[in-house]
Amino acid sequence: MKQTVLIINIATILVTLFLVFVSYRYRSEKGGLPFLCSMALLLLWVAGSTISMFTQSYEEKVFWRNFIQIGMAFIPLANLWFVIEYTENKNRFLKYLVWLAAFLSLAGIVLTFTNPSHDLIRKSVEFVEINGQWDLVVELTFLGNMFVLLRFALMFASIVILMLFQIRIVKSGQKQVFYILIGFTLALVLLIVKNYLMTGYEEVFPMSVIFLIPNLFIAYSVYRYDFLKIAPLAKDWIINSLPDGIVVLSAAGEIVEVNQSAERFFGQLTEKEAPPGHKKSALQNRNRYDYSEYTAFLQAQPLWQKALDERKNGTLEIELENDSGDSLYYEIDQHHFISDRNHYSGSVSVIRNVTNFRLEKLMLKRQAEMDRHIQILNKHAYIDYVNAASSVQAAFMVIDIDKFKAVNDRYGHPVGDVVILKVVEAIKQCIRKDDLIGRIGGDEFSLTLMDCGKKRTQAIIQHILMMVQKETADILEERVTISIGVVTNQKLPDCSFATLYQKADEALYGAKKAGRNQVVFYDDQPC
């Protein structure tokens, strides 16, 4: 009997040494460190069990029995640690559970080594002869049995975490988890059988062999699937490493999962600045699995929400503002999951930041639209903007610099360019952000005032005349003047540029004919 157990122990030591080598190679990978700790503890356990077989005195037997309790107590804990890292479970409760279990296990070991002084763990420890061999027969107290049950509970917790992970992981990773799950389940079943159905047969079937089983399955997966080197989570490799945000929504339109990029997307747009003295932001304090704030933000985006409600696959673009008021542009790709039986399961939205691309495109478009000398819209761009504009009460005017040809002839084109630039700067100072200004010809400009009645238009024109005088006062010896033709109370886009220009140009001709340096209003009849 002793020879059989010795052979089993030696074989276990050899296998464990191999597993220590494997786990040491992968110690820096995910799950590698707890795997290494588990193997080291198992090696100490089997070595202590083997040494105990050759001891003869009662005191030596008790010491080595206490020694192997270290492995028995902490291997289930190391296995749970491994499972948590392997599944990348971030639940705070599990973190606290591991620390509590570590404290209780350490307390159990201390009580075991000091049991002769208080008998809290063992009722009795007898030195008896079994099949010609002297060994210990231990009877545990209620507290001692509770520590044994703690080990079972830790193994059971590992199995539950693996089962939940097996359900939600993608197909490509399920085999990895399946082998680990089988190993842990088989170990737990054998532990229960040995503790409660095989009492008296400890020597035939050492408990250390049982704890070797899940680690053998783990070692098999290391070489079969290389899962300690490559992250077991397809989510981690496929989703969390993507620069694009991934948002998973339920059939009810509620966000149920986001990747790290999506977390940052929602965070920068929903997180409020922490008050002075607060170390943690609102985002850090938020429950990891509570996406209600993100759902509310999404539902407040009309274009995005409409696309979700219509359940159509496709791409849309939204414009948002950050806390600084800067525009951010995002492209949203949507895919809805609808079965052959028309059952709707939910959808996935892929968020792509296209701000740089959009701004670059806008910059190129802007450069193509602008007159490069005076930085206002060129003729073609201005016409397009006017024809696309919407205003219930628009004012349209054509502005011409009086006797500009004479200025060029007398002072030269460089001075003429300065005059044009100063006139444009004067006009810009008098108009609003939504108003349009463009260069129609050499010294001819057009101005469209949005949602502006005749009275307001007159005030703006007077301001323009005053600013032109002010900006050009020091350029020429003579005074620079302008003539303006105006048509007001026009509805856009009902009136085209061609129609508006014809009316305003006719009014401008009247101003020139009347002696220049004047403003003439065309008949305010609508188009």
Side-chain angles (χ1 to χ4, degrees):
M1 186 72 68
K2 180 178 180 180
Q3 186 177 5
T4 302
V5 176
L6 181 60
I7 292 172
I8 293 174
N9 276 5
I10 292 174
T12 303
I13 288 174
L14 292 175
V15 173
T16 305
L17 282 171
F18 168 73
L19 292 179
V20 168
F21 169 74
V22 170
S23 57
Y24 182 79
R25 283 186 59 194
Y26 290 94
R27 66 190 184 279
S28 61
E29 306 294 342
K30 291 180 180 179
L33 184 58
F35 186 32
L36 176 60
C37 290
S38 180
M39 291 300 93
L41 288 166
L42 183 60
L43 186 61
L44 291 176
W45 180 355
V46 180
S49 177
T50 304
I51 294 172
S52 176
M53 294 175 60
F54 295 97
T55 57
Q56 301 297 323
S57 68
Y58 172 79
E59 290 76 14
E60 288 178 319
K61 290 283 187 183
V62 170
F63 172 81
W64 288 110
R65 173 63 69 90
N66 291 344
F67 181 80
I68 65 177
Q69 294 300 312
I70 298 174
M72 294 176 69
F74 285 101
I75 287 178
L77 185 63
N79 287 339
L80 177 60
W81 178 19
F82 167 80
V83 168
I84 291 173
E85 280 206 5
Y86 172 67
T87 60
E88 291 195 325
N89 197 309
K90 306 297 183 182
N91 195 310
R92 287 184 179 181
F93 172 76
L94 286 177
K95 179 181 177 181
Y96 298 141
L97 175 64
V98 169
W99 281 107
L100 177 61
F103 173 77
L104 292 176
S105 298
L106 181 61
I109 295 300
V110 172
L111 291 175
T112 298
F113 273 90
T114 60
N115 189 74
S117 63
H118 48 68
D119 295 327
L120 291 175
I121 299 296
R122 296 165 178 163
K123 288 183 181 179
S124 62
V125 181
E126 298 181 3
F127 196 44
V128 298
E129 186 179 3
I130 303 175
N131 297 325
Q133 300 293 328
W134 288 91
D135 205 349
L136 299 177
V137 175
V138 177
E139 183 180 0
L140 297 177
T141 63
F142 174 78
L143 182 60
N145 281 311
M146 287 300 99
F147 281 110
V148 173
L149 289 176
L150 173 63
R151 299 162 192 173
F152 289 159
L154 293 174
M155 292 292 290
F156 181 73
S158 299
I159 292 172
V160 170
I161 295 172
L162 285 169
M163 289 177 67
L164 294 174
F165 185 61
Q166 171 79 5
I167 293 171
R168 67 185 179 89
I169 197 174
V170 293
K171 256 187 179 179
S172 60
Q174 285 182 348
K175 284 188 177 180
Q176 298 177 12
V177 186
F178 177 74
Y179 279 107
I180 308 302
L181 181 59
I182 289 297
F184 275 83
T185 303
L186 184 59
L188 180 61
V189 171
L190 291 176
L191 282 173
I192 295 173
V193 170
K194 178 171 174 57
N195 270 271
Y196 299 106
L197 299 180
M198 294 181 63
T199 306
Y201 295 91
E202 287 83 356
E203 296 83 1
V204 181
F205 192 54
M207 191 174 289
S208 56
V209 177
I210 296 176
F211 278 100
L212 180 63
I213 292 173
N215 296 301
L216 284 172
F217 277 88
I218 293 173
Y220 171 75
S221 293
V222 168
Y223 284 96
R224 180 68 177 82
Y225 297 106
D226 206 20
F227 69 85
L228 288 180
K229 188 173 182 181
I230 301 174
L233 268 172
K235 168 188 171 183
D236 202 33
W237 186 77
I238 298 173
I239 298 180
N240 275 335
S241 61
L242 292 175
D244 298 339
I246 307 295
V247 181
V248 181
L249 297 101
S250 68
E254 297 178 348
I255 296 176
V256 295
E257 186 68 48
V258 296
N259 71 343
Q260 293 175 359
S261 295
E263 189 93 10
R264 289 191 292 270
F265 164 78
F266 285 112
Q268 70 175 340
L269 295 167
T270 61
E271 183 181 4
K272 306 300 181 184
E273 187 176 348
H278 285 229
K279 293 183 179 180
K280 288 190 176 182
S281 67
L283 181 62
Q284 291 172 319
N285 286 322
R286 182 184 63 79
N287 187 304
R288 179 176 173 81
Y289 302 103
D290 179 14
Y291 301 118
S292 57
E293 188 177 2
Y294 295 171
T295 300
F297 174 81
L298 187 154
Q299 291 173 347
Q301 310 307 314
L303 289 177
W304 195 349
Q305 188 59 45
K306 180 182 177 183
L308 288 172
D309 293 339
E310 292 177 350
R311 296 182 181 178
K312 292 181 180 179
N313 298 335
T315 303
L316 63 110
E317 187 175 298
I318 61 174
E319 180 182 355
L320 303 170
E321 281 191 3
N322 59 17
D323 291 339
S324 303
D326 300 324
S327 292
L328 302 173
Y329 300 92
Y330 293 93
E331 191 176 80
I332 313 294
D333 288 330
Q334 292 192 130
H335 181 80
H336 298 268
F337 298 98
I338 303 175
S339 68
D340 295 336
R341 297 182 178 181
N342 207 34
H343 174 72
Y344 182 66
S345 303
S347 65
V348 171
S349 293
V350 180
I351 307 169
R352 187 173 299 110
N353 190 333
V354 294
T355 301
N356 290 338
F357 172 77
R358 179 66 183 274
L359 291 178
E360 183 178 351
K361 187 177 178 182
L362 287 173
M363 183 184 69
L364 293 173
K365 182 175 181 287
R366 187 77 172 169
Q367 288 175 351
E369 292 174 344
M370 301 298 283
D371 184 294
R372 61 179 182 176
H373 296 296
I374 54 177
Q375 292 302 299
I376 62 173
L377 294 171
N378 60 38
K379 180 177 179 179
H380 296 293
Y382 179 75
I383 292 173
D384 290 340
Y385 274 101
V386 172
N387 287 332
S390 176
S391 175
V392 176
Q393 206 175 30
F396 183 91
M397 62 187 78
V398 179
I399 304 171
D400 185 79
I401 301 176
D402 296 328
K403 299 180 180 180
F404 185 72
K405 184 178 181 304
V407 172
N408 278 336
D409 292 343
R410 180 177 179 184
Y411 297 99
H413 287 282
V415 175
D417 290 341
V418 173
V419 171
I420 289 176
L421 184 61
K422 291 296 183 179
V423 169
V424 169
E425 288 179 356
I427 296 173
K428 284 182 177 180
Q429 293 180 52
C430 302
I431 61 177
R432 300 158 300 175
K433 180 181 178 181
D434 295 333
D435 296 331
L436 300 173
I437 179 173
R439 188 176 189 177
I440 306 303
D443 63 316
E444 184 177 274
F445 311 96
S446 181
L447 181 61
T448 304
L449 305 178
M450 300 297 177
D451 297 316
C452 191
K454 187 170 184 178
K455 187 175 180 180
R456 176 62 176 160
T457 301
Q458 289 173 331
I460 292 175
I461 290 174
Q462 292 304 316
H463 192 199
I464 289 174
L465 294 173
M466 182 187 70
M467 291 304 299
V468 167
Q469 294 295 319
K470 180 179 177 181
E471 293 291 329
T472 61
D474 300 330
I475 301 175
L476 307 176
E477 294 177 3
E478 61 270 23
R479 187 176 61 163
V480 176
T481 63
I482 59 175
S483 297
I484 305 176
V486 191
V487 56
T488 58
N489 296 327
Q490 303 299 300
K491 185 176 181 180
L492 303 179
D494 293 353
C495 296
S496 66
F497 170 83
T499 302
L500 293 170
Y501 182 80
Q502 181 183 358
K503 293 180 178 181
D505 189 55
E506 186 176 331
L508 175 64
Y509 178 77
K512 292 285 188 181
K513 189 175 180 182
R516 299 182 177 86
N517 191 23
Q518 295 187 40
V519 178
V520 173
F521 283 81
Y522 187 85
D523 182 15
D524 290 337
Q525 293 299 318
C527 299

